[in-house]
Amino acid sequence: MERTSTIYQDYLLQSEPNKFSVDNLKAGEMIVNMGPQHPSTHGVLRLEVVTDGEIIQEVVPHIGYLHRCFEKHAENMAYNQTIPYVDRMDYLAAMNSEHVWAMGVEKLLGITDQIPKRVEYIRVLVTELNRIASHFVAIGTYAIDIGAFTPFLWLLRDREHIQRLLEWVCGARMLYNYIWVGGLYYDLPIGFEERCREFITYLQPKLDELDTILLTNKIFVDRTANVGVLPLDVAINYGCSGPMLRGSGLKHDLRRVAGYSVYPELEFEVPIGQGLAGTTGDCWDRNYVRALECRESVKIISQCLDRLQSDYKRTPGFDPQAACPKKMRMTGTQELYFRGETPRGELGFFFRTTDRSDMPFRVKGRAPSFVNLSVLPEISRGAMVADLIAIVGSVDIVLGEVDR
């Protein structure tokens, strides 16, 4: 027995850093490492799990396996050169991240009012398409995490239509570099509006199918309802945002609260969790909110297409780069925090500028995946090990954003 304990201790030391050690474990407890090479941790995330049999006592996320040095890159490059690096934070929703960065820099430059309306509507159109694509990955991979294979294939099939539309717009499938400071890389291709309208007509019945095959499926409900319940006060105290917060019952969406871009001109609802299948704030509610947000994004896209084909239709002389400054030199020393709503919640950038420089003195990214992940220990205690997979998947993290 003593020899076995010594071997276990040696193995544990090899997997450092650990928060817990064998010395402070209670009788019957053990430490289990989940990840960083694990298909259900959605990236290189390592979870140090203290279990008592099948029951989780503590979970400690260990991050830092994918550090991108985004902030230091941003402090050594011109504002407009940073956009490809912004893409690589949340690589499943790069358009949304670009949009927030561009609006923040435009506010620093004082050119927010100079952005043409057609540019703003195109920005919202492509970001909402990207929001649907991101939620399809979130829901689809979550389904496969807990054993439902068909919804994953169906959602990835429909996401592919969006990827092809966005590739048509800018030439890239995932890392777009399309939304520029002051404008866009290029106008929409001729015929894009018609093709996009065909797609959303095709998509609406597919969202009904998603409800039938997954959200109301008895096995899915049993695996997710009343699991990983996040009370609203805990969500607020931990700074959660996006579907994590709205799944707990609070209507807080920065597209409404902050009213940036042309969102105040558009009609859409803010879905929240209501405990329809279990307890408000559980894993089911978080996926339910994402599914409903896809429907609201379809409404937004339809309204954008209407405006882009009427009031702000294309003209021969339209230049999407007309408001793009050639040199982005700031006047005076400024500090600004700008935030926007991505599929995972509040993405914010803090800027500190120096006079006459086209590079920021300091950049800090507030990534929603990083903040949402911090609540994982609170909603995992007392759950079973099998349910930890369901809980981690419901948080919907992207490790490029966690490690920035």
Side-chain angles (χ1 to χ4, degrees):
M1 182 68 181
E2 184 177 346
R3 173 62 180 159
T4 305
S5 178
T6 304
I7 293 173
Y8 181 74
Q9 183 76 30
D10 291 341
Y11 285 148
L12 194 62
L13 290 173
Q14 291 174 20
S15 66
E16 285 187 321
N18 282 340
K19 179 178 178 181
F20 298 97
S21 68
V22 174
D23 299 332
N24 53 28
L25 292 181
K26 298 175 183 176
E29 291 184 344
M30 64 178 177
I31 298 174
V32 178
N33 274 314
M34 183 182 294
Q37 283 79 34
H38 192 289
S40 294
T41 56
H42 296 265
V44 281
L45 171 68
R46 173 174 159 242
L47 299 175
E48 180 188 350
V49 187
V50 178
T51 67
D52 183 356
E54 283 288 314
I55 305 301
I56 296 168
Q57 303 300 312
E58 284 290 343
V59 178
V60 181
H62 289 268
I63 63 175
Y65 294 88
L66 191 71
H67 190 42
R68 295 182 176 276
C69 300
F70 164 78
E71 288 153 357
K72 287 302 167 191
H73 280 304
E75 290 164 12
N76 289 276
M77 309 188 81
Y79 295 93
N80 54 338
Q81 294 176 328
T82 307
I83 290 174
Y85 293 85
V86 177
D87 283 340
R88 287 160 174 79
M89 288 175 60
D90 183 353
Y91 38 77
L92 293 177
M95 286 291 191
N96 303 80
S97 304
E98 289 176 17
H99 195 198
V100 177
W101 176 270
M103 287 189 295
V105 177
E106 287 159 6
K107 191 165 184 178
L108 283 171
L109 292 166
I111 62 171
T112 302
D113 296 336
Q114 300 174 27
I115 311 300
K117 281 286 189 178
R118 178 170 175 82
V119 168
E120 291 283 16
Y121 274 102
I122 292 174
R123 285 178 172 184
V124 171
L125 172 65
V126 294
T127 54
E128 292 304 319
L129 282 170
N130 208 177
R131 190 183 307 275
I132 296 174
S134 175
H135 282 338
F136 278 3
V137 174
I139 300 169
T141 55
Y142 187 67
I144 207 170
D145 280 347
I146 56 179
F149 198 73
T150 301
F152 171 75
L153 296 177
W154 287 13
L155 289 169
L156 266 287
R157 172 202 64 197
D158 294 335
R159 173 179 177 264
E160 184 64 25
H161 295 307
I162 299 175
Q163 297 296 90
R164 289 175 178 173
L165 285 171
L166 296 179
E167 186 178 10
W168 190 22
V169 168
C170 64
R173 281 178 57 83
M174 283 186 67
L175 308 172
Y176 303 108
N177 191 17
Y178 178 66
I179 298 176
W180 286 7
V181 176
L184 302 167
Y185 164 65
Y186 203 70
D187 196 0
L188 295 176
I190 294 174
F192 181 88
E193 294 93 329
E194 291 78 11
R195 185 78 62 82
C196 190
R197 203 177 288 279
E198 289 175 10
F199 167 70
I200 63 173
T201 302
Y202 154 86
L203 185 63
Q204 285 169 329
K206 302 300 180 185
L207 295 175
D208 295 334
E209 287 181 357
L210 176 63
D211 289 347
T212 304
I213 195 173
L214 187 68
L215 294 179
T216 58
N217 182 288
K218 186 180 187 307
I219 299 173
F220 183 80
V221 172
D222 289 347
R223 283 299 312 274
T224 57
N226 300 312
V227 174
V229 177
L230 176 60
L232 181 56
D233 59 334
V234 176
I236 293 171
N237 290 336
Y238 271 82
C240 295
S241 57
M244 282 288 286
L245 178 62
R246 292 190 288 275
S248 295
L250 182 64
K251 281 194 175 186
H252 182 85
D253 189 316
L254 291 174
R255 294 174 294 176
R256 279 277 182 247
V257 175
Y260 57 85
S261 190
V262 291
Y263 282 110
E265 303 174 20
L266 301 169
E267 294 181 6
F268 63 97
E269 298 297 324
V270 178
I272 59 171
Q274 303 171 54
L276 298 179
T279 306
T280 302
D282 58 15
C283 292
W284 190 89
D285 265 345
R286 291 191 277 276
N287 280 275
Y288 173 67
V289 166
R290 292 186 184 103
L292 290 182
E293 283 186 6
C294 292
R295 295 180 181 274
E296 297 305 315
S297 291
V298 167
K299 293 181 188 176
I300 294 172
I301 290 167
S302 180
Q303 293 172 68
C304 288
L305 291 172
D306 290 341
R307 302 289 176 88
L308 289 170
Q309 291 181 300
S310 57
D311 301 338
Y312 308 111
K313 62 185 177 183
R314 70 178 72 243
T315 57
F318 175 69
D319 181 6
Q321 299 179 21
C324 294
K326 301 298 181 258
K327 265 291 187 184
M328 299 184 187
R329 298 201 182 279
M330 301 296 170
T331 54
T333 301
Q334 304 179 61
E335 289 188 357
L336 172 71
Y337 176 75
F338 192 89
R339 58 184 185 162
E341 188 75 31
T342 72
R344 277 151 203 89
E346 178 183 329
L347 173 64
F349 293 108
F350 169 80
F351 302 91
R352 179 177 292 158
T353 71
T354 51
D355 193 25
R356 310 303 299 166
S357 174
D358 65 345
M359 293 189 296
F361 176 76
R362 179 75 177 98
V363 169
K364 175 71 171 70
R366 189 267 187 206
S369 293
F370 177 84
V371 180
N372 291 345
L373 180 62
S374 67
V375 82
L376 181 65
E378 290 289 337
I379 60 178
S380 300
R381 288 191 197 99
M384 299 186 71
V385 173
D387 288 336
L388 181 59
I389 300 298
I391 295 169
V392 172
S394 74
V395 178
D396 185 24
I397 54 173
V398 170
L399 264 296
E401 194 174 65
V402 171
D403 288 339
R404 291 191 299 288

